[in-house]
Every structure is written in structure tokens, then in C-alpha cells.
Amino acid sequence: MPTPAPSTSTPEGPGSVTGVPDLPPFFADTFTSGYVDTGTLRLHAVTGGEGPALLLLSGWPQNWYAWRLLMPELARRFRVVAVDPRGVGLSDKPRDGYDTGTLAADTADLMTALGHHRFAVVGHDIGMWMGYALAADHPERVTRLAVAEAAIPGLSPSPPLFGSTEANNRLAHFAFNRLPELNEQLVSGREELFFGHQFATKAAKPLPVSAVRYYVDTLARDPEALRCSFAPYRALGETMAQNERRALRRLTLPVLAIGGGEVLGAGVGETMARGADDVETLVLPGCGHYPAEEAPEAMLEALTGFLAPYREGKDD
């Protein structure tokens, strides 16, 4: 197993392994928080486990903690790396660099710093955007890609402005989050209302109150965290142009596309089929937008089967 590069320091308190609520039993016996200097910025990653490397990329408005229910079992088979990407959680929060090309390069640099040349990727929501970019821009690095619950701007068809009420409720944040500055002015001091609404309306099975409170408090505690939560959406013009170019060179690696039956469903697989040749689609019945937290056992079973050839060295 590769030896991780030394962290500049080990964070403690809010956002680290020692400062989040309701972790699975003995979680801290396996996983540790660390800051990793990639050469361009400092990223926070939670790492642990034995086996080939597995990178976990969370979505908006979450952080590494979204994977907590899957991580202990995954760590029995893989060296798990759950990262706070640029602008998220305890990672650096620069003013720019939130297009998916830069975000993907950040995570590739992270895995290099940790000693992992080849790795599998699991991405949810914005993490799905990043996973697609990582597999497309760095095909020599990514062996398998599992994605969940997102459309990919520039790859998925754009929905109509005047769509159904259901579609509007699900997608309204795309336009709002791209606004300059007004977002922070409207949301600041009302983080519980804005982000709480996101979790309440997109989950078919309510997330634990403690988890929602943690996500909201993370964004409310630091104005820079709030600004950065909107940054990937403000960079969508650049990301969409990148994805239009990426679609011209289709992915050939195996892809697992997971959709919540109550939200995107088979649409995740339909999106990935527009840019990849080998796509397996899984729809989780009764699940909303947060499969790693709403249906962790089903998602873990799916990932275990999909990643088995990688673990057994058959993808090399």
C-alpha cells in the first residue's frame, strides 16, 4: 500500500474526524483527518483502510461526512480517501478555480501526493461533475467511475426555463447559485432556511437532524465557506464548455450510474451514456437525492459488486 505524504498538520474540531456528530462506532479507529499540500493548495482528506485506492467526492452542499455510513465497510477492501474539494469543509478556499477541470486536477494532485497513481472514483452530485471530468481529463489515473444523482451541465440536455413545477423545484438552485454576490446577501443569516430546504425537499427519507445541522453550521460559520458553496455554479460557463469538448472523446472505462427512484432515477445513466460507452444503470427504489445517506446498504452493495474487478486487480 502506498505511503501517504506527510500532512502539514492534523486538524481537530469542527469538520475533522474528531469534530462531527454521530459517526459509526469505532470510526476514528480506522480513519484520520489530515491536511495534504498538493503543491497548489492545501486539501483536507479523511483516509483509512487497506487495499487499492478509492476516492470519494461529495456533492453540494455537503463535504466528506456525506460518506460516513459507507466508509467503514469500504475500508475493509480499499484505501479510502474522502476529500473536501477546493472551497469545501476544511480545505483551502481561494477566489477562483471552481470549474471542473481545475477541481479534477486538484484531486488528481491530491492522489499523487498520497502516493496513488491509479484509483477508482465515486462521486455524488457536484462530485459526479468532478468524477466525470477526472475520468475524461486524466484517463490514465481512473480505473472505474461510479456516479450518483446529478445531471452534468454541458453533457445533459438543458431543461426548459418554463418546465414542470417538480422540475423547477428540483433545479431552481442552478440559476440562483450562479448569481454574483446577491446569493450571499440573501442567504447569510438564513442558512438554515435555504440549505435546510434543499435537504428537506430532495430527500425521500429525511436525513438525520444532526447531519443537516452539521452541514448548515459548516456553511454558516464561515462567510468564505458560504461564498465557495456557490462558486462551482458560478463557474458553470467554463465547465459547460469543457464538457462539450470532453464529450467528443467518450469514456471507455466501466461506469456505474446510480439514481434515486424518487428523483433522477434512470436519468443518471442516460446522462452518462451521452459521454461513456460502458454504463451500468442502477435505480434505488424509494430513495431521493442522497443515496449514501438514505440507502447506504443498497449503495454499498452496488459499489462492492461494481468495484470487485478493480479490487481483484482485473482492471490493470
Side-chain angles (χ1 to χ4, degrees):
M1 182 178 66
T3 301
S7 299
T8 56
S9 61
T10 301
E12 296 182 352
S16 71
V17 166
T18 62
V20 293
D22 300 331
L23 288 173
F26 310 111
F27 189 94
D29 292 345
T30 300
F31 293 99
T32 57
S33 280
Y35 287 124
V36 180
D37 185 353
T38 69
T40 56
L41 76 169
R42 188 179 72 168
L43 296 177
H44 170 238
V46 176
T47 59
E50 300 284 344
L54 177 62
L55 175 64
L56 305 180
L57 301 171
S58 58
W60 178 87
Q62 299 172 288
N63 51 51
W64 74 266
Y65 179 74
W67 302 107
R68 68 197 179 280
L69 302 180
L70 277 62
M71 289 169 67
E73 192 61 32
L74 288 173
R76 296 178 181 272
R77 301 172 177 86
F78 303 99
R79 179 65 178 177
V80 175
V81 179
V83 62
D84 285 342
R86 173 187 298 243
V88 173
L90 296 178
S91 290
D92 282 351
K93 297 174 175 60
R95 299 295 304 182
D96 54 14
Y98 294 92
D99 61 280
T100 56
T102 302
L103 293 172
D106 287 345
T107 54
D109 290 344
L110 169 77
M111 296 304 278
T112 297
L114 292 173
H116 306 301
H117 176 68
R118 290 273 282 171
F119 48 91
V121 177
V122 183
H124 166 249
D125 189 80
I126 287 181
M128 176 170 161
W129 304 358
M130 294 171 57
Y132 171 63
L134 191 52
D137 297 357
H138 306 272
E140 75 286 357
R141 306 294 303 274
V142 181
T143 181
R144 286 186 172 241
L145 174 64
V147 293
E149 271 299 304
I152 297 181
L155 185 66
S156 305
S158 295
L161 177 61
F162 299 108
S164 67
T165 298
E166 179 185 25
N168 182 75
N169 290 343
R170 190 169 66 235
L171 300 173
H173 69 286
F174 273 82
F176 178 81
N177 287 0
R178 294 181 75 179
L179 296 172
E181 298 182 1
L182 181 63
N183 313 38
E184 290 92 329
Q185 295 169 13
L186 293 176
V187 175
S188 181
R190 304 175 183 86
E191 291 88 357
E192 184 173 1
L193 176 64
F194 179 70
F195 293 108
H197 178 267
Q198 298 294 322
F199 289 113
T201 57
K202 292 183 175 140
K205 300 176 183 177
L207 273 58
V209 172
S210 60
V212 174
R213 168 54 56 192
Y214 163 67
Y215 292 132
V216 172
D217 285 350
T218 297
L219 294 162
R221 186 181 302 115
D222 179 5
E224 288 299 287
L226 182 61
R227 173 185 64 79
C228 289
S229 73
F230 300 125
Y233 293 89
R234 290 171 175 158
L236 275 179
E238 189 172 356
T239 288
M240 288 188 288
Q242 293 170 359
N243 285 339
E244 290 170 0
R245 295 191 294 270
R246 290 178 183 122
L248 299 176
R249 51 183 192 280
R250 297 174 61 84
L251 302 183
T252 58
L253 81 173
V255 176
L256 174 63
I258 302 172
E262 301 302 312
V263 186
L264 291 181
V268 182
E270 293 167 2
T271 285
M272 292 309 303
R274 297 174 70 89
D277 293 331
D278 184 3
V279 180
E280 174 187 351
T281 296
L282 174 66
V283 177
L284 301 180
C287 181
H289 182 60
Y290 306 100
E293 292 170 286
E294 295 184 59
E297 293 181 0
M299 189 166 185
L300 184 62
E301 181 180 1
L303 291 177
T304 300
F306 175 70
L307 295 171
Y310 166 59
R311 179 177 181 265
E312 294 163 5
K314 296 178 181 178
D315 288 337
D316 295 332

